[in-house]
Amino acid sequence: MGTYGYISIIAMLCYGFMLLMFLTAKRNRIINSFLVVLTGLLFWTGGSAFMRAQLWPGCEFWYQVSLLGILLLPYAYYRFILAFGGEKSGIAGRIYFVVMLTCFWLNAQFGVFLEAPKMVEKNGAAAFVYEIKPAIIVFFIPSAIFLIHLLTVIVRICKNNPTMKVQYEPVMLGVLALFLGNAFLGIPFFSGFPIDILSGVVNVFLLFYALIRRRLFRLQMLASPSLCYGVGFLFSILVFLNIVPSLQNLFHMRADKNTRIYTLVFSIVFLIIYALFTYLWKLLIRCVFVREENHQAEKIREFNSAISKTLDLQEILDKTIHVMKDLMDVGNIYICMQDAPGEPYRGVASDQPLSDLAFAFEEENPMVQWLKDHEEPIIYRDFRYSVEYKSMWEEEKHQLDKNHTRYCAGLKDGDNLAGVILITSSSSKKRLAYDEVEIISNITSVASIAIKNAKLYENARLEARTDELTGLLNRKYFYEVLNEEFEKNKDASLALAIINVDDFKLYNQLYGIKEGDMCLQRVADIINSSVGESGYTARYGAKEFAVLLPGYDLFSARNLVESIAKQIYVMNNRRTDMKLKPITVSAGISAAPYAAKNVKELLENVDLAVYHVKHSGKNGIQVFDTMFRNNNKDAHAKTHAHIYKEYESTIYALTAAIDAKDHYTFSHSTNVAYYATALARTLGMNEDMIEIIHQAALLHDVGKIGIPESVLNKAGSLTDEEYEMIKGHVEASIDIIRHLPSLDYVIPAVIGHHERYDGKGYPRRIAGEDIPLTARILCVADSFDAMTSIRCYKKAFPVKVAREKLIQDAGKQFDPELVRKFVECLDNGTINLVKAEEA
């Protein structure tokens, strides 16, 4: 075979080894295209080796096989390069494939381009010499053109994705080595030397390196049984062919004379060699590769088991850092987490206790966005070539560069990025180990699940302890905190304050439930920010807030509550979209051990202080001290058996004031009271509700006291400004009534008597049954009396006309059911028309 023949044998064994190895790999488009490249190389080198060995069916046959492999290699590389860059195969590859097959057929038939080599004796050994003709350029020109096309494809792919530039470097070098090796065949210096075969070996190892860099190949595949047996077989053949002559001389045997013994002996020798090589390969792989991977797998299993047993976020982060340090030779490791969506990723953990964590990555950082969109970690050296890196601020780049950043990995929670892991090198010259990327991926995937579970647990725990609307502690958990702090502060002061929002029901009626919720949130924010880390804040009731202040005495607690009350009073002044009434609070304060011996007594004392403020006119702060506690607790007790009669004189005093201001408004109110109470009785309402409707009717226009008589008694049409003034009488009525203790029960009827059933009324523009029933009753009674009364700007409508207008507007302005009942009462005489008076 000659010295050079072994180059072809070695190349063939290398390709066969890789082919066996990649047949056991997980298949994808890139791996499949690489297998096609290896097949072409096997045709080429195998044909060359068998030709030099002069095996059957002859040298010329194996020459043609070798040539076919060479001609088809550019097409195989074309498929590989496109698959490597994520591109689809184009028509250029098919054209080249057809052209080269045609050239091969012509050369095989007629030898017009490159004839089979001639065997000559050289230094006592057979050598093959090619006769190079000018026609060989027919092979090289299409190949060169196609290689140039491949180069343009690579340039285009790298331009679209700059990160591929680094990935393609070994591929481009491999293609260049292969092309030059074939081109050097025409140089006399290389005559008879298989430079093309040698360049093919260099090329395939460069491609192998490229696949490792892309993490498309795992070294653990080297330990697969089929690969072990295949490698043992290939090396056994190589060794056996070389020792056959020595064995023949040793045993003085020839195949044509000692056939049976020859076959037996050489079969046994081959099997021994095969078993030895297979065993040595398994031992090598187990010692070099598998042991390390098994060690890594065991560490990751231990890590997985450890973090699955904890829901503590900080413990999970510490264990994640620890396992990375164990498995990789890296510098420092930092983990950055995001507190809430939109906020920066701030440093929260490091492998060094004294590391500076005062750095952050903004959510808009291009590197963070890349981690959000991809599952794999970033190799920072490759990332520097990307568009994302170039779009980063210089300060952001400097922050990463000065730490010798090596990898960046994301802790993914579904589509969200919960955290960022920054892994640095001890030196900027530290070489990358590409298996580390897979280690990072395995660790982060496990850590991400653990972090997600820890956050879900923390959120569930937080939701169980906090109020949904305000974010403060809820009442149940506040009691737990109160008992714990009471035990901790037995020898110190512990102040408790309850802050009750005044007239909050009225606020809801004036501005609606949504605005009421926003009001509570603003109050909660003021209380929470004022207390800060000094104590605990909780939503104690629907409109009550509790403040627990360990270490505070009564004087300090009162100063804090006074500050909170002042902030709450002016908080609505900041609103520019609408004018809102100021909010006042009634607060009670007590402290242990001065005024309470246990938790129950402390709570009772604070509640009593709030009660005292509420029944002393609201908008105040009461400190529960010894003197107040000894006061008669029944001093403020009132009987509510005759609450309506108790305030009857107050109501009539107000109606008398209305009469003095505008007699029509007074008589109108009494008329409405008559119609409304009659309708209420017809509906079967109880006496309490009828009395509430009666009093609400008498007071529903009390706010007109503040409207000028020139507007009230204007004969012509009202201007827009005057109409707005008239509409303001509803809120003016509420402002008067709210100062009358225990009359807040009439407010729902008064505030809603100008609302329309279709939602086009005022002041809140609510509709349908969202309008209180008492207000809907007043609306019908108020409108009927307005239509049947004489005013300065109109005559009284006949009952028949007013009746028809009520029916026409049923479902629009009025509740249709109430209109039906009212009309029914008019028809059967249950309700009679009050005689109209002259305005």
Side-chain angles (χ1 to χ4, degrees):
M1 185 181 287
T3 305
Y4 297 151
Y6 287 108
I7 295 178
S8 298
I9 292 291
I10 292 170
M12 184 182 68
L13 288 174
C14 289
Y15 298 148
F17 167 70
M18 287 190 179
L19 186 66
L20 287 171
M21 186 165 52
F22 277 92
L23 284 172
T24 64
K26 185 178 180 180
R27 307 291 281 276
N28 56 40
R29 187 164 167 245
I30 300 177
I31 297 297
N32 287 337
S33 62
F34 186 63
L35 288 173
V36 174
V37 172
L38 288 175
T39 303
L41 289 169
L42 271 175
F43 270 58
W44 173 22
T45 55
S48 177
F50 294 154
M51 178 189 72
R52 294 176 187 278
Q54 304 177 45
L55 298 180
W56 181 88
C59 295
E60 186 172 351
F61 172 80
W62 293 115
Y63 160 73
Q64 299 296 344
V65 171
S66 178
L67 183 62
L68 178 63
I70 293 173
L71 296 178
L72 294 182
L73 270 178
Y75 174 70
Y77 275 98
Y78 175 74
R79 288 189 54 184
F80 175 76
I81 287 172
L82 289 179
F84 196 79
E87 299 278 335
K88 293 183 178 180
S89 299
I91 193 172
R94 298 187 185 93
I95 294 174
Y96 174 82
F97 186 74
V98 173
V99 169
M100 282 320 221
L101 280 181
T102 303
C103 291
F104 171 75
W105 182 81
L106 291 173
N107 190 71
Q109 292 295 322
F110 309 108
V112 293
F113 304 122
L114 181 64
E115 293 182 353
K118 295 178 181 179
M119 188 176 66
V120 297
E121 290 288 334
K122 190 174 183 180
N123 298 326
F128 292 86
V129 179
Y130 291 89
E131 184 180 350
I132 306 301
K133 298 178 181 180
I136 196 175
I137 199 170
V138 175
F139 283 155
F140 281 101
I141 288 179
S143 298
I145 294 174
F146 194 61
L147 287 173
I148 292 171
H149 173 68
L150 280 181
L151 183 61
T152 60
V153 169
I154 292 174
V155 171
R156 175 172 56 81
I157 292 174
C158 293
K159 186 176 181 182
N160 294 334
N161 185 3
T163 57
M164 292 300 298
K165 180 180 178 182
V166 179
Q167 306 292 345
Y168 266 125
E169 285 177 356
V171 177
M172 295 168 68
L173 288 174
V175 174
L176 181 62
L178 187 65
F179 179 76
L180 292 176
N182 282 273
F184 287 164
L185 286 175
I187 300 175
F189 177 77
F190 293 102
S191 178
F193 182 77
I195 183 65
D196 54 340
I197 303 294
L198 193 60
S199 67
V201 175
V202 173
N203 159 73
V204 82
F205 275 101
L206 286 170
L207 295 187
F208 180 67
Y209 174 67
L211 292 178
I212 292 178
R213 292 189 66 175
R214 282 287 298 274
R215 303 179 297 283
L216 297 170
F217 171 71
R218 295 184 62 190
L219 292 177
Q220 195 173 23
M221 291 186 298
L222 296 171
S224 65
S226 59
L227 184 60
C228 290
Y229 299 135
V231 169
F233 183 74
L234 291 175
F235 278 98
S236 298
I237 291 176
L238 180 62
V239 173
F240 183 75
L241 291 175
N242 280 275
I243 67 172
V244 163
S246 300
L247 290 174
Q248 287 176 335
N249 293 331
L250 178 65
F251 294 107
H252 305 289
M253 289 186 298
R254 294 180 59 184
D256 56 345
K257 291 185 178 182
N258 311 95
T259 305
R260 291 183 179 180
I261 299 176
Y262 184 91
T263 304
L264 179 62
V265 171
F266 283 89
S267 296
I268 293 172
V269 171
F270 179 81
L271 288 174
I272 292 172
I273 296 172
Y274 175 67
L276 179 63
F277 270 104
T278 303
Y279 171 75
L280 290 175
W281 178 259
K282 286 182 178 180
L283 183 64
L284 174 67
I285 296 303
R286 187 162 54 248
C287 294
V288 177
F289 300 114
V290 178
R291 180 180 294 177
E292 179 62 25
E293 291 210 0
N294 287 342
H295 170 71
Q296 294 174 2
E298 181 60 29
K299 284 289 184 181
I300 292 175
R301 277 196 297 271
E302 291 176 1
F303 167 68
N304 191 5
S305 176
I307 65 172
S308 64
K309 297 176 183 177
T310 180
L311 290 170
D312 183 82
L313 181 60
Q314 192 60 47
E315 186 178 354
I316 292 170
L317 299 181
D318 291 341
K319 289 183 181 297
T320 301
I321 292 172
H322 181 73
V323 73
M324 284 186 172
K325 291 289 287 186
D326 277 354
L327 296 178
M328 297 186 297
D329 181 19
V330 294
N332 294 329
I333 300 176
Y334 305 94
I335 298 182
C336 303
M337 299 288 289
Q338 190 179 39
D339 293 332
E343 294 189 6
Y345 293 84
R346 302 186 185 280
V348 295
S350 172
D351 60 314
Q352 299 294 330
L354 300 179
S355 292
D356 182 13
L357 296 176
F359 63 89
F361 298 106
E362 296 295 333
E363 193 174 49
E364 297 78 16
N365 187 308
M367 184 186 74
V368 172
Q369 293 300 317
W370 193 96
L371 290 173
K372 278 186 177 181
D373 298 334
H374 297 79
E375 297 296 329
E376 65 269 20
I378 288 174
I379 299 174
Y380 187 68
R381 188 187 70 180
D382 297 345
F383 185 70
R384 288 173 61 91
Y385 296 93
S386 68
V387 175
E388 288 82 0
Y389 178 83
K390 294 176 182 177
S391 62
M392 291 170 63
W393 297 107
E394 290 301 321
E395 183 179 348
E396 294 172 334
K397 296 177 185 177
H398 176 69
Q399 180 179 332
L400 295 169
D401 292 340
K402 73 176 182 179
N403 291 324
H404 306 306
T405 301
R406 190 171 182 177
Y407 306 109
C408 296
L411 294 167
K412 302 290 288 292
D413 178 8
D415 294 332
N416 299 320
L417 185 67
V420 175
I421 300 180
L422 193 68
I423 304 172
T424 68
S425 291
S426 54
S427 169
S428 59
K429 297 180 180 179
K430 183 77 174 179
R431 295 183 63 185
L432 290 173
Y434 282 92
D435 59 330
E436 290 180 345
V437 176
E438 186 167 358
I439 294 173
I440 296 170
S441 296
N442 291 335
I443 293 172
T444 53
S445 62
V446 174
S448 296
I449 295 172
I451 290 171
K452 180 180 180 180
N453 292 335
K455 285 193 170 184
L456 288 174
Y457 169 75
E458 184 61 29
N459 289 338
R461 185 168 173 266
L462 190 63
E463 288 175 3
R465 299 168 58 182
T466 57
D467 173 63
E468 183 179 2
L469 178 65
T470 61
L472 304 182
L473 301 180
N474 58 30
R475 187 185 183 108
K476 179 180 178 181
Y477 184 67
F478 179 72
Y479 281 146
E480 295 180 18
V481 173
L482 177 58
N483 281 283
E484 290 175 4
E485 290 297 327
F486 195 91
E487 291 298 319
K488 290 179 183 178
N489 292 273
K490 280 188 174 180
D491 299 327
S493 177
L494 179 67
L496 174 65
I498 300 293
I499 300 172
N500 187 296
V501 179
D502 295 330
D503 303 313
F504 188 68
K505 182 177 181 181
L506 169 64
Y507 194 92
N508 274 335
Q509 292 168 343
L510 285 172
Y511 308 114
I513 300 297
K514 184 177 180 181
E515 184 60 44
D517 288 346
M518 292 173 62
C519 172
L520 289 177
Q521 289 171 342
R522 291 194 294 272
V523 170
D525 289 342
I526 290 172
I527 295 173
N528 197 40
S529 60
S530 298
V531 174
E533 301 295 325
S534 301
Y536 304 88
T537 56
R539 190 179 180 190
Y540 190 68
K543 58 168 186 168
E544 278 190 320
F545 299 89
V547 178
L548 185 63
L549 302 166
Y552 273 59
D553 56 22
L554 290 172
F555 179 76
S556 302
R558 183 184 180 93
N559 287 340
L560 178 62
V561 174
E562 284 178 349
S563 172
I564 290 171
K566 289 176 182 177
Q567 293 178 65
I568 293 173
Y569 184 78
V570 300
M571 72 178 187
N572 283 343
N573 293 349
R574 303 186 187 98
R575 294 288 294 270
T576 57
D577 53 340
M578 60 188 299
K579 184 178 181 181
L580 301 174
K581 64 185 291 296
I583 298 295
T584 61
V585 295
S586 299
I589 304 171
S590 186
Y594 313 116
K597 297 178 181 178
N598 53 52
V599 172
K600 182 179 179 183
E601 190 176 353
L602 181 64
L603 286 168
E604 288 177 350
N605 292 346
V606 177
D607 284 337
L608 191 60
V610 175
Y611 179 86
H612 176 76
V613 177
K614 284 288 186 182
H615 287 77
S616 300
K618 307 176 184 177
N619 189 20
I621 300 171
Q622 176 67 55
V623 175
F624 187 95
D625 55 17
T626 305
M627 290 181 62
F628 182 77
R629 181 174 55 188
N630 292 331
N631 285 343
N632 184 4
K633 295 181 180 180
D634 298 326
H636 300 284
K638 296 183 179 181
T639 175
H640 297 281
H642 306 288
I643 186 67
Y644 305 119
K645 294 294 182 183
E646 182 179 352
Y647 292 102
E648 190 174 65
S649 58
T650 304
I651 292 170
Y652 277 99
L654 284 172
T655 56
I658 297 171
D659 190 25
K661 171 79 175 184
D662 179 32
H663 181 67
Y664 167 76
T665 301
F666 170 75
S667 59
H668 168 68
S669 297
T670 55
N671 292 349
V672 171
Y674 163 71
Y675 293 132
T677 53
L679 178 57
R681 285 193 177 89
T682 301
L683 294 172
M685 302 179 79
N686 62 41
E687 288 301 316
D688 281 344
M689 290 302 298
I690 293 172
E691 183 59 29
I692 289 172
I693 290 171
H694 179 257
Q695 295 184 10
L698 293 176
L699 295 175
H700 79 282
D701 278 345
V702 70
K704 288 184 177 179
I705 291 176
I707 298 175
E709 294 179 8
S710 59
V711 176
L712 287 174
N713 299 315
K714 186 175 180 180
S717 300
L718 296 175
T719 64
D720 291 343
E721 184 179 354
E722 291 169 341
Y723 181 65
E724 289 297 321
M725 192 181 298
I726 291 292
K727 285 170 62 178
H729 82 277
V730 176
E731 292 187 15
S733 298
I734 302 303
D735 281 337
I736 293 171
I737 296 170
R738 67 182 288 267
H739 290 290
L740 301 176
S742 301
L743 273 179
D744 56 352
Y745 52 82
V746 305
I747 288 176
V750 173
I751 196 173
H753 78 279
H754 276 295
E755 300 288 355
R756 289 173 57 97
Y757 200 80
D758 58 8
K760 298 179 180 179
Y762 65 89
R764 293 180 295 165
R765 300 181 71 83
I766 55 178
E769 294 187 358
D770 287 342
I771 306 169
L773 177 59
T774 53
R776 284 178 274 151
I777 291 172
L778 280 190
C779 181
V780 173
D782 181 56
S783 299
F784 180 78
D785 184 70
M787 288 187 285
T788 57
S789 298
I790 301 171
R791 288 295 289 134
C792 57
Y793 53 86
K794 76 171 189 65
K795 296 180 179 180
F797 291 168
V799 175
K800 185 177 180 180
V801 174
R803 178 182 179 278
E804 289 301 316
K805 285 187 174 291
L806 286 177
I807 294 173
Q808 289 175 8
D809 284 337
K812 298 177 182 177
Q813 182 177 355
F814 312 113
D815 184 332
E817 181 61 22
L818 295 183
V819 168
R820 186 183 67 79
K821 284 287 187 181
F822 191 86
V823 170
E824 187 178 295
C825 291
L826 285 175
D827 294 343
N828 63 25
T830 304
I831 295 177
N832 297 308
L833 178 67
V834 178
K835 185 179 179 181
E837 297 180 8
E838 291 291 331

